[in-house]
Structure formats: C-alpha cells, structure tokens
Amino acid sequence: MFKINQNFLKLPGSYLFSTIAKKVASYKEAHPQNEVISLGIGDVTLPLVPAVTDAMHRAVDEMGKAETFRGYSPDGGYEFLKKAIIAGDYTPRGISLDLDEVFISDGAKSDSGNIVDIFSTDNKIAVTDPVYPVYIDSNAMAGKTGDYIESRQGWSDVIYMPCTAENNFTPEFPEETPDIIYICCPNNPTGTTLTKDALSAWVKYALDNKAVIIYDAAYEAYISEPDVPHSIYECEGAMECAIEMRSFSKNAGFTGTRLGFSVVPKALVSGGVALNSLWGRRQGTKFNGAPYIVQRAGEAVYSDEGRAETKEQIAYYMNNAAIIREGLSAAGYSVYGGVNAPYIWMKTPDGMSSWEFFDVLLEKANVVGTPGSGFGPSGEGYFRLTAFGTLDNTKKAIERIKKI
Ligand SMILES: *Cc1c(COP(=O)(O)O)cnc(C)c1O
C-alpha cells in the first residue's frame, strides 16, 4: 500500500492570497461602479526589455537550424551565462568565483525550496519573522520543522527571529543556536535591508556556530544605499558559510520567463564534504537545466543595453516606491522599506490589526494591499504595499489613502 508524505498534512492552509481575492471580488460585486487599485501585486508588470527579447529572437532562430541547435544544457548552465554573471555581479565587488561555483536554475523559488535536499533532517532552521513562506514550507514538507502550533502560528522546531520597527528590522541572534539561517536581503515583505556591519555580524555568528546561511538576494538590483551589501560574499568569511541565491525575476522581469542561479562556494564544507559537490549532484539528478533561449536572454541582461534598459525599469518601480513612501509619511503613517526594495511596509494606524486595516483600505480607498500577519506572527499590525503597479495607479491610490 502506498503512503503519502504525511508532512504535507501538517502544513497550515495558505489562505492569504485566496482570502484577499475573495474579499476583493465580493467588494467589487457590491460596488461595481468603484475602481479598485491593487498595490498588493508581488509580480513585475513592465515587459521584457528590447535587449532581452532581441537575444531571445536570435536564440530561437539558432534553435531552428541544424548547425546551431542545442539540446540539453550543460550541468550547472552555459559558460557564457556564468561568465556574464561573475563578470557583472561579482568581479566588480572584489569577489572571485570559479565557474563551477555558479549553478544556473529556473529561479530562486525553486532553489530556495530545493536546497533542503542536501541537508540532514535534524538541522534546526532559523527564519526571520515575517518571512517569505517558501523557506519554512519547504522544510516542513521534508519533515524538518516539527509540528504546526496554531496558537503560536508557528512550527515547534523552527527558530523565529522577529523583525519589527523595535529592532529596526534587524534580526537578533537567537537564544537557541540554529544550524541553517535564512536571510532575505533586501527583504520581502518588509522592504528593509541589513547594513554591511549587521550582515558581517551574522556571517561571523554562522562561522562561530558552524551554521550555514542561505542568502536570498532576489532584490539586489533595487539597492540604492551605499552601506547595503549586494552580495553576502562582500562580508569576510562568507565563502565558508553562505549560499547565495539570485533571480532574474525582479531585476529583469523574468517572473514568467524563469531564470535564476545559486552560488555554492567550494570553501563551504561540512564534515569534510563540500556542499558544492552535493548541490551539483542534486541538480544533476533532478534538474535538466534552464532553456538555452532563456539563458541567452539572461546573458543579454548583462550587456550594456540590457543593463541600461533594466536599470530604467527598476527606476520606474522605485519612483513608485518613493511616491508611496513619501505620500504615506506625509499622511502621518509610519513607513519602512521602499528605499532599497520595491516593498513598503507600513504600521497600521490606531492599533488596527492587519486584516482590519485591509478592510478599511478596501472600503474607504478602494485600494488593495497585503496584510502583514500573512507573512508571520510578527507581521501583525503591519501592511505591505508594492511598487509594481503603474505610475498612474500608484499616484491615484496614494491620493485616496491620504483622504481616509
Ligand atoms: C520574487 C522572489 C524570489 C524570486 O523567485 P523566482 O523563482 O526567481 O521568480 C525569490 N525570493 C523572494 C523573497 C522573492 O520575493
């Protein structure tokens, strides 16, 4: 008799986005004349830039000719893309990587979910709270998180590190020592970052405690302040304790095109075994590579045109972020993030719960955002707005919120 993976049954239902959709649908039905604007979108809206689509067209033509057709991608991805990544993202920051330390993938969500494969079940994970849900759920599916405790809205065997306005959204070292530490910087959902000193302290902590840091840098391209590290490897010692994940989704609009990569340095070793070889083995067995056409598209992001064009898109979103941030501050709200990330994290007014504020915003301003409590217990009392909308809608939404 076959048996299912019981760990799936322990997962709490993910009601966040379905509850939002239902509430919005029923509001629209009751008020068909009102135009509802969503600043809840966690997806890019601008199209792929010309440098990228041109490269894709060329690659499609190559695939249609016998002389230039390509089959399976080499394990770990094409050299042309890895070289572009190392030369574009790492060498200029004084970080030296070998080609086989970069693993091309179909995105950072897959990588952050799949990485659990190479770690033992009895590792203790630590996550920031609020958190990008993939880190926890992927561990829960692998039976590494204990039981879900409804009253705490958390797992018995997970270390939660609250990130709130009180600690300036910088996680403190937990009482219990973790084995695996997930850090997302710039952060989704809070839009906040760690300074180089704060991240360096975490690197030292990981080295001292023989822990590994899984560093999600999906929003790296949005960093505007000089004191925020673009890569964890800017911190001394990180090559021995950190895996870095990146994505083409948010910096180049690849959410539907799919491309990302992980850096697993060969110096990252546990019990004499390099994690690099384990991850290579894992990917070689379960993943057959990102499409050639998409890897060529990714290479084009690093061309002069690609850089200039994607930079413009990020500037467009960050202009929206500034409008949201400044508009809400002027209206008296406490607002965080939005300077190095396309997310604005605001405190709900008058001690309202995240869902109460959701309802007020929907009914009085016809604006949709995301309740902070959906990202973890420490998100209660906060609310997320995103900068991925159009400029017009963003301006309109903020004017309406100001009038509440
Ligand atoms: C959007 C996002 C990603 C990117 O995932 P892809 O699978 O590359 O699209 C990764 N991490 C976080 C925190 C994100 O918000």
Side-chain angles (χ1 to χ4, degrees):
M1 189 183 86
F2 74 88
K3 297 187 182 69
I4 60 157
N5 178 349
Q6 293 285 328
N7 298 317
F8 277 70
L9 304 184
K10 295 187 188 173
L11 291 165
S14 175
Y15 299 119
L16 181 63
F17 289 99
S18 68
T19 308
I20 291 173
K22 270 184 215 149
K23 278 179 180 270
V24 172
S26 81
Y27 180 83
K28 281 183 177 169
E29 204 177 293
H31 308 272
Q33 73 288 359
N34 292 2
E35 176 214 27
V36 174
I37 297 175
S38 175
L39 296 186
I41 333 157
D43 193 356
V44 294
T45 51
L46 295 172
L48 294 173
V49 299
V52 165
T53 51
D54 287 349
M56 290 173 92
H57 285 299
R58 285 194 300 270
V60 167
D61 288 341
E62 284 182 62
M63 291 298 273
K65 292 194 198 96
E67 316 81 71
T68 47
F69 168 78
R70 315 272 182 135
Y72 289 123
S73 157
D75 270 358
Y78 282 103
E79 232 176 78
F80 63 76
L81 178 55
K82 297 201 220 185
K83 280 186 174 157
I85 289 168
I86 293 173
D89 289 341
Y90 292 98
T91 313
R93 300 193 185 281
I95 300 158
S96 147
L97 291 176
D98 291 342
L99 288 171
D100 60 359
E101 294 181 302
V102 177
F103 296 85
I104 307 301
S105 72
D106 63 352
K109 186 182 207 175
S110 333
D111 283 358
S112 60
N114 291 334
I115 198 79
V116 297
D117 278 7
I118 67 168
F119 294 107
S120 154
T121 355
D122 53 11
N123 283 305
K124 190 98 177 202
I125 68 159
V127 296
T128 57
D129 170 24
V131 70
Y132 180 61
V134 178
Y135 313 147
I136 300 186
D137 288 1
S138 56
N139 276 280
M141 289 170 182
K144 303 186 188 199
T145 53
D147 292 307
Y148 189 75
I149 315 215
E150 194 68 51
S151 61
R152 271 204 255 157
Q153 289 177 61
W155 294 85
S156 58
D157 290 353
V158 172
I159 300 169
Y160 291 87
M161 305 183 290
C163 289
T164 60
E166 283 67 45
N167 61 13
N168 199 22
F169 302 96
T170 301
E172 284 142 40
F173 301 135
E175 272 168 42
E176 198 184 348
T177 308
D179 304 300
I180 301 174
I181 302 156
Y182 286 86
I183 296 177
C184 175
C185 177
N187 191 262
N188 177 11
T190 67
T192 59
T193 52
L194 301 177
T195 60
K196 184 162 177 203
D197 280 351
L199 187 60
S200 296
W202 272 100
V203 167
K204 184 172 184 310
Y205 175 87
L207 291 169
D208 289 347
N209 291 287
K210 297 190 175 4
V212 61
I213 296 175
I214 298 179
Y215 192 72
D216 184 341
Y219 295 95
E220 172 275 332
Y222 290 83
I223 295 171
S224 67
E225 292 182 319
D227 195 30
V228 181
H230 287 251
S231 164
I232 193 168
Y233 305 119
E234 289 174 48
C235 303
E236 202 187 321
M239 285 286 195
E240 284 98 68
C241 71
I243 292 173
E244 178 163 294
M245 292 170 179
R246 296 235 192 150
S247 166
F248 288 76
S249 285
K250 311 298 167 34
N251 64 337
F254 276 46
T255 52
T257 306
R258 311 303 311 140
L259 192 65
F261 63 91
S262 286
V263 176
V264 189
K266 284 180 274 193
L268 177 46
V269 174
S270 166
V273 179
L275 268 57
N276 179 281
S277 65
L278 293 189
W279 183 243
R281 189 75 172 83
R282 191 269 169 214
Q283 292 295 79
T285 299
K286 296 196 188 180
F287 182 61
N288 246 342
Y292 173 70
I293 298 160
V294 176
Q295 294 194 52
R296 280 293 182 200
E299 179 191 30
V301 171
Y302 292 94
S303 66
D304 290 342
E305 301 92 314
R307 279 171 184 283
E309 290 163 0
T310 52
K311 204 170 153 193
E312 236 173 80
Q313 293 197 329
I314 289 164
Y316 178 90
Y317 293 134
M318 290 311 283
N319 180 50
N320 288 347
I323 289 168
I324 300 173
R325 204 163 34 84
E326 284 155 23
L328 295 178
S329 299
Y333 292 100
S334 301
V335 181
Y336 310 93
V339 176
N340 300 294
Y343 296 114
I344 288 86
W345 191 243
M346 62 186 291
K347 194 108 193 65
T348 59
D350 311 321
M352 253 183 240
S353 75
S354 297
W355 278 110
E356 280 167 351
F357 187 64
F358 176 92
D359 291 334
V360 168
L361 216 55
L362 177 59
E363 281 155 31
K364 298 210 172 140
N366 299 163
V367 172
V368 177
T370 313
S373 54
F375 300 100
S378 296
E380 181 57 275
Y382 291 90
F383 201 76
R384 191 189 77 174
L385 296 174
T386 85
F388 287 131
T390 63
L391 175 61
D392 270 359
N393 277 347
T394 304
K395 283 183 181 162
K396 231 191 273 178
I398 297 308
E399 285 316 309
R400 290 189 199 163
I401 297 174
K402 279 182 173 173
K403 288 195 196 115
I404 294 180

